[in-house]
Amino acid sequence: MSKTKEFLIPFVGLKLGKHHFEYQISNAFFENFDYDEFQNSDIKVALVLDKKGNMMELDFKHKGTINVPCDLTSEEFDLPIKGKMKLIVRFGDEFNNDNEELLILPHGEHEIDVAQYIYEMIALSVPLKRVHPGVKDGSLQTEALTKLNELTVKEQKEESKQEEDIDPRWDKLKKLLTDK
């Protein structure tokens, strides 16, 4: 992925305290990561960097919509997403990002690239099962839903027929067990 200056934060020149950053994320951002799950995206990311003497705390929050296909009907719809993430940045001898909540930067480092963390936060906030809101409330009418409804009705009718076809002699045998 190519580094963009928009997501590089030079923390050396910042005073101690809180600093606010805002980013508008679109599909161009996800193209840098070769991620093409969304047809369209409009996400606002707010980042608060709290610089302290020997460490920094980064609080990420995002809210917006992504355009994705429904898993049941393949109809595209705008799915609202939101989420947050906290990252603590400390300084050490060498770079280490093994822990998802702790980042260790070398002592000579003067800037931090937050693009990877924004990408991971948004990608992890998307639900595994994406269902069109019209499917849930019954207002969406598509060919796929009509076919699904036809198939479920047939299954229920077959089950009720099996229950009706029980031989009456079995009921008499069951009665013998309960008469003891």
Side-chain angles (χ1 to χ4, degrees), residues 93-105:
D93 295 331
E94 60 184 36
F95 179 84
N96 185 348
N97 65 350
D98 292 342
N99 190 333
E100 61 191 37
E101 295 177 359
L102 176 67
L103 172 67
I104 299 175
L105 292 177

Side-chain angles (χ1 to χ4, degrees), residues 49-131:
L49 185 145
D50 188 5
K51 184 176 179 183
K52 299 180 180 178
N54 58 355
M55 64 178 267
M56 294 183 293
E57 291 181 7
L58 284 85
D59 287 321
F60 297 88
K61 290 183 182 176
H62 75 279
K63 188 174 186 177
T65 58
I66 54 172
N67 189 280
V68 292
C70 174
D71 289 338
L72 296 177
T73 63
S74 297
E75 290 284 323
E76 293 182 3
F77 71 102
D78 287 335
L79 177 69
I81 61 168
K82 65 179 181 176
K84 58 185 176 178
M85 182 179 84
K86 189 171 187 161
L87 179 69
I88 296 174
V89 180
R90 291 186 125 344
F91 298 97
D93 295 331
E94 60 184 36
F95 179 84
N96 185 348
N97 65 350
D98 292 342
N99 190 333
E100 61 191 37
E101 295 177 359
L102 176 67
L103 172 67
I104 299 175
L105 292 177
H107 286 293
E109 200 68 35
H110 64 280
E111 62 186 10
I112 183 171
D113 187 9
V114 295
Q116 179 70 30
Y117 300 104
I118 292 173
Y119 163 73
E120 289 174 4
M121 175 183 63
I122 293 172
L124 291 174
S125 70
V126 178
L128 292 175
K129 189 171 184 180
R130 301 170 228 168
V131 180

